[in-house]
Amino acid sequence: HNWTLGTLIPILTNAVGGLLVGMVTKYAGSVRKGFALVFGIFLSGMIQTMTSSDGDDVSAAVTFEDVTGGTLAAIALYLHSTYPCAPSIQTTTSKIHLPTDIPSPGMKSKKLKARKED
């Protein structure tokens, strides 16, 4: 394989990016990771629009869908951070633990039958 520095750079950046995504998911959770992903996409779209917008280039303009999506993502992020999910209430049912050395009535008759056969 004829690998050069130019081929190693994308491989290493993808590997580091994968490790970072795994750490974010582990420590922050998948919901926050999703919000970070949406915010990153929105931010990169805004930066791309600002850097590549020519006066006549219509494709670089921010569309109504872009503004609507960014607004909805911002509202969702605000609501999620303001009103976090309440922890679920875990109900436990109390079980009666019987000692194992007390034979049940059915077991007693089976043991007696087994002894009579011997």
Side-chain angles (χ1 to χ4, degrees):
H1 300 266
N2 214 2
W3 289 30
T4 64
L5 184 62
T7 56
L8 287 177
I9 290 173
I11 293 170
L12 292 176
T13 55
N14 280 334
V16 170
L19 292 172
L20 288 174
V21 167
M23 288 174 53
V24 166
T25 304
K26 180 179 179 182
Y27 293 110
S30 61
V31 174
R32 289 185 183 164
K33 182 192 83 155
F35 283 127
L37 178 67
V38 169
F39 182 71
I41 291 171
F42 180 72
L43 187 65
S44 64
M46 296 306 282
I47 291 172
Q48 180 180 359
T49 301
M50 285 188 262
T51 58
S52 66
S53 66
D54 295 334
D56 300 330
D57 191 10
V58 179
S59 65
V62 179
T63 64
F64 176 72
E65 289 86 7
D66 295 336
V67 173
T68 304
T71 304
L72 289 175
I75 291 170
L77 181 59
Y78 171 75
L79 290 174
H80 183 72
S81 62
T82 304
Y83 306 104
C85 296
S88 61
I89 299 172
Q90 303 247 344
T91 59
T92 58
T93 58
S94 61
K95 294 182 180 179
I96 300 172
H97 297 286
L98 296 174
T100 56
D101 59 345
I102 299 175
S104 66
M107 289 180 64
K108 193 173 193 180
S109 62
K110 288 178 186 176
K111 287 182 181 178
L112 289 174
K113 287 179 186 176
R115 286 185 188 165
K116 287 180 184 177
E117 292 175 359
D118 288 340

